Amino acid sequence: MQFMLILTETSRDHARRNDPAQAGEYWGGWSAFIAAMAQAGIVVNGDGLQGPHTATTLRVRDGKRVVEDGPFADTKEQLAGYFIVEAPDLDTALDWAAKAPSALTAAVEVRPVLPPMPATGQ
Amino acid sequence: MTGQTGLQNARRAAELAARASYGRLLSVLAARDRDIAAAEDALSEALLAALRTWPETGVPLNPEGWLVTAARNRRKNEARAQAVRRAAEPALILQFDTTAAEGPIGDDRLQLMLVCAHPAIDRAARAPLILQTVLGLDAATIARAFLVEPATMSQRLVRAKARIRDAGLRFAIPAPDEMPERLGAVLDAIYAAFGQGWDNLDTPDAPEALTGEALWLARLVADLMPQEPEPKGLLALMLYCNARRQARRDADGRFVPLDRQDTRLWDRSRIIEAEGLLTTAARAGRFGRYQCEAAIQSVHVQRPLTGQLNLAALRTLYDLLVSQSDSIGARISRAVVLAELGEVDQARNELDALPMDRVRNHAPWWVAKSRIATLSRQANAATDALSVAISLTGDSAVRRFLIEQREALEAG
């Protein structure tokens, strides 16, 4: 079955991306994690995301588009990236989630992906 | 051979199979796709089918195998219907293939217990879920054992089963380093099953149906985890209690309280085994709730040897127990020990400090209340509390005992 690893990150960890003194270690940690998953052949799809300051949120209200900048979840942990992985069970997916660098400081949410919708017209 | 006898034999065989192997059959059925609720439905339909079929065909040689095959066929048909509806892959049908099902039924009960104790399951649902899946207790009985409302318990169980089905938990024995975390819920469930068998469910024609099952499970866990002291503690605790089985009712079926039991009726071999387990467990140097409760039983067992109950030792152990597991039962027992030691006011305060919504319908609380009132010479309060306890007691022998106690109080 497929699981989505929803990776969150603290703003402090996020800042390490562009800190010359820490960027190497930061990206090294993620590269190692991603390489290990690729090696195991479990990754279906996945990406890191640009920081929350680049986010744009859209709502349609009364037929009008309302566009605002930024994510609206005012939390300490922000969405940093995601992976869709193929794993036999939750426990295996959790084992991988535990290896994500951000699991130490923020959190990884693990959710089964809904199976494909039934064929239409039946 | 139809007719009344055939019908009765068939019903009896189906009931026996259901009672004795419910958890084993369910674990076999649910392990394939993790859908406990669907496996329960299929198993109960198979039991109904057995009641219909067996009176005509006779009881099969391997009733359990028959039930598992019937339940699997039911799920296979269901899956086939679904597969046709959804035009899904044939793998769904293969999953319920029954061609290999004729051999002996395996035992996945430990696996099923450990899945129910998975950290991804709501903590409050873990032990109840084990009771329902492995021992087949209904939600109302489980709710009583855990002192919560039946509706709350049903909801909790339904949610937990949906999670096991949808979240993709692994049906397997976890790695050794994950074991201790899951052990707590497993032991709690086994002890709750033992308590239910002891208080309510074991009947004269099947005196150890549920308590025997609980002992078996505790032995299994203790054997599988020799490094862990708590399974030994639990097994010891249950053996101490079971050793007194013959003594807890008199010849007329009347309830005999611990301090008036004929100790010659206690089963020495079980007591010796329990003492040995407790000593071995202590060597690990990790004292826990079940070792503590077993140690309390050990103090009671010493009484016939020393001629008196060591209340001071009991108090120390109950203090420890309350710090280990802050359960309602531990606090009630501790209050009674305090009262027996002469600290009546403190005992009453501790009893009254317990959450009323949880103890209001809990007979032991009212019995303790009555005992403390008696010790402080408040005869009316003692009688009133005992009356409430009587109204809450389902066991007719215990009821009779409490009624006699009330009569003695009223006589002064």
Side-chain angles (χ1 to χ4, degrees):
Chain A
M1 55 196 291
Q2 294 189 352
F3 293 89
M4 187 176 200
L5 310 187
I6 303 159
L7 302 150
T8 59
E9 203 174 41
T10 62
S11 54
R12 197 170 152 172
D13 278 343
H14 183 71
R16 292 166 65 213
R17 288 183 180 185
N18 300 313
D19 178 340
Q22 298 185 47
E25 195 196 327
Y26 174 89
W27 290 112
W30 282 105
S31 303
F33 172 59
I34 295 162
M37 283 201 296
Q39 181 87 35
I42 64 156
V43 179
V44 177
N45 194 5
D47 291 294
L49 298 174
Q50 296 278 7
H53 68 282
T54 64
T56 308
T57 305
L58 170 131
R59 292 182 179 83
V60 175
R61 292 292 181 271
D62 299 326
K64 288 201 194 77
R65 286 163 56 142
V66 182
V67 176
E68 291 175 76
D69 66 324
F72 287 86
D74 190 16
T75 58
K76 272 189 251 168
E77 294 168 4
Q78 298 284 2
L79 187 60
Y82 71 94
F83 282 96
I84 306 285
V85 298
E86 180 69 49
D89 47 48
L90 174 69
D91 301 82
T92 309
L94 288 175
D95 288 343
W96 283 105
K99 296 184 175 77
S102 62
L104 297 173
T105 45
V108 186
E109 183 177 331
V110 180
R111 275 214 230 173
V113 173
L114 213 57
M117 293 304 251
T120 50
Q122 290 296 311
Chain B
M1 185 205 78
T2 53
Q4 208 55 32
T5 351
L7 189 70
Q8 274 170 1
N9 284 344
R11 182 163 295 151
R12 220 177 137 60
E15 275 168 7
L16 273 178
R19 188 101 194 90
S21 21
Y22 183 88
R24 212 139 56 86
L25 300 183
L26 188 68
S27 63
V28 168
L29 291 167
R32 295 215 179 178
D33 67 343
R34 314 177 165 108
D35 196 338
I36 292 173
E40 284 172 336
D41 289 345
L43 185 54
S44 62
E45 284 188 37
L47 284 163
L48 281 176
L51 289 177
R52 270 197 312 270
T53 317
W54 294 358
E56 316 224 328
T57 60
V59 177
L61 283 178
N62 176 1
E64 289 189 357
W66 192 98
L67 286 169
V68 165
T69 305
R72 277 191 185 146
N73 284 338
R74 215 152 268 280
R75 294 222 54 204
K76 189 162 75 167
N77 291 341
E78 206 178 276
R80 188 176 284 136
Q82 248 172 36
V84 169
R85 261 204 310 279
R86 292 186 181 177
E89 67 235 272
L92 207 52
I93 296 173
L94 279 178
Q95 208 173 6
F96 301 108
D97 192 15
T98 55
T99 46
E102 293 309 317
I105 309 294
D107 197 332
D108 297 327
R109 271 180 289 185
L110 186 66
Q111 215 165 292
L112 185 59
M113 281 197 283
L114 289 163
V115 170
C116 296
H118 197 288
I121 301 287
D122 170 16
R123 186 177 294 278
R126 292 177 200 164
L129 194 58
I130 293 172
L131 282 180
Q132 187 168 65
T133 56
V134 180
L135 297 166
L137 301 192
D138 63 61
T141 305
I142 298 169
R144 225 172 19 245
F146 288 88
L147 305 182
V148 300
E149 292 296 321
T152 311
M153 185 53 80
S154 305
Q155 208 179 28
R156 224 179 253 174
L157 289 167
V158 168
R159 222 182 290 136
K161 278 181 234 169
R163 236 179 118 66
I164 289 182
R165 184 192 60 215
D166 298 333
L169 309 194
R170 184 188 294 159
F171 262 67
I173 308 286
D177 61 327
E178 291 172 39
M179 275 295 201
E181 191 189 348
R182 303 216 194 166
L183 193 56
V186 170
L187 298 182
D188 289 351
I190 294 174
Y191 188 45
F194 183 83
Q196 281 303 307
W198 192 252
D199 293 338
N200 300 312
L201 298 179
D202 287 356
T203 51
D205 56 318
E208 300 198 27
L210 199 51
T211 50
E213 190 84 352
L215 274 168
W216 186 89
L217 290 171
R219 262 186 216 288
L220 179 71
V221 177
D223 286 347
L224 283 170
M225 281 177 259
Q227 307 305 320
E228 291 294 327
E230 279 290 273
K232 293 192 188 74
L234 174 62
L235 183 55
L237 168 61
M238 300 195 310
L239 285 169
Y240 279 125
C241 296
N242 231 351
R244 300 196 299 259
R245 178 177 291 283
Q246 295 300 323
R248 70 175 188 148
R249 298 274 190 272
D250 69 12
D252 300 324
R254 252 189 288 252
F255 171 80
V256 185
L258 186 49
D259 58 352
R260 280 185 231 157
Q261 287 177 3
D262 179 352
T263 58
R264 289 166 305 178
L265 295 174
W266 290 358
D267 181 338
R268 295 276 309 148
S269 64
R270 285 188 170 170
I271 290 173
I272 291 166
E273 189 189 354
E275 301 270 301
L277 282 162
L278 202 49
T279 314
T280 319
R283 276 193 212 117
R286 282 179 286 144
F287 200 61
R289 177 204 161 175
Y290 287 113
Q291 290 172 78
C292 190
E293 292 208 35
I296 287 169
Q297 295 302 322
S298 178
V299 171
H300 285 293
V301 168
Q302 309 292 326
R303 178 178 57 84
L305 302 176
T306 60
Q308 59 176 331
L309 185 61
N310 188 343
L311 281 168
L314 278 186
R315 186 197 173 150
T316 310
L317 287 169
Y318 273 117
D319 283 347
L320 267 171
L321 184 60
V322 166
S323 72
Q324 288 277 345
S325 80
D326 196 9
S327 79
I328 298 275
R331 286 196 171 264
I332 293 173
S333 301
R334 181 166 171 272
V336 174
V337 170
L338 282 177
E340 300 289 346
L341 279 164
E343 297 172 43
V344 182
D345 290 337
Q346 199 194 334
R348 187 183 301 107
N349 289 342
E350 299 214 355
L351 220 47
D352 290 343
L354 291 173
M356 233 5 233
D357 58 321
R358 294 193 60 198
V359 296
R360 198 184 299 122
N361 298 319
H362 190 48
W365 188 82
W366 291 98
V367 173
K369 193 102 183 116
S370 168
R371 177 68 188 152
I372 290 167
T374 306
L375 288 170
S376 53
R377 300 185 196 296
Q378 293 173 305
N380 287 339
T383 316
D384 291 348
L386 210 48
S387 297
V388 182
I390 291 164
S391 72
L392 292 171
T393 303
D395 183 318
S396 59
V398 175
R399 238 177 115 90
R400 194 140 56 112
F401 169 77
L402 292 177
I403 290 169
E404 283 167 9
Q405 264 204 322
R406 183 174 59 185
E407 282 163 4
L409 274 178
E410 280 164 348

